[in-house]
Amino acid sequence: GMATIHNPDAVPQRYSLDQNYPNPFNPMTTINFALPEDTYVSLAVYDIMGRRVKTLVDGRINAGYHQVSWDGTDADSVHVAASIYIYVLKNNKITITKKMVMMK
């Protein structure tokens, strides 16, 4: 397996959720987030009506910096409409919300 080097500087000091890029996007965008501790966390995309479109992360994730992509599809792999979407990073301590725009 891979060797791991313990680097305390690599552990974020706080929870953070970055603006997606590119934004606006079509069809794919990337979201970076940071966790200061190992934790159960979810990252999900919602439409502007508050309906969950897709869950991108749902489980126990290690402390550190993470990256996930969204391909503009819903839970059934159907491409969603051009619109504003909300993405939410959440656990039992924090809820961080950002907006993103899918273009036609």
Side-chain angles (χ1 to χ4, degrees), residues 12 14-23 25 29-35 43-45 56 64-70 85-90 94-101:
R14 63 187 64 83
Y15 288 93
S16 67
L17 178 64
D18 293 351
Q19 187 65 47
N20 64 300
Y21 65 92
N23 185 53
F25 67 96
T29 193
T30 298
I31 298 166
N32 292 315
F33 62 95
L35 307 174
L43 176 63
V45 178
L56 302 177
Y65 296 91
H66 300 277
Q67 182 176 90
V68 65
S69 293
W70 182 41
Y85 292 90
I86 315 296
Y87 57 105
V88 181
L89 181 72
K90 187 173 185 177
I94 55 96
T95 301
I96 308 174
T97 301
K98 293 262 170 87
K99 289 181 182 177
M100 57 182 161
V101 179

Side-chain angles (χ1 to χ4, degrees), residues 8-59:
D9 296 335
V11 177
Q13 294 300 301
R14 63 187 64 83
Y15 288 93
S16 67
L17 178 64
D18 293 351
Q19 187 65 47
N20 64 300
Y21 65 92
N23 185 53
F25 67 96
N26 185 358
M28 174 95 55
T29 193
T30 298
I31 298 166
N32 292 315
F33 62 95
L35 307 174
E37 58 193 341
D38 297 356
T39 182
Y40 180 93
V41 70
S42 70
L43 176 63
V45 178
Y46 297 83
D47 67 18
I48 52 176
M49 304 299 291
R51 292 178 293 238
R52 187 183 293 227
V53 174
K54 191 159 202 175
T55 301
L56 302 177
V57 175
D58 185 31

Side-chain angles (χ1 to χ4, degrees), residues 69-80:
S69 293
W70 182 41
D71 63 0
T73 65
D74 67 14
D76 298 318
S77 299
V78 175
H79 281 275
V80 299

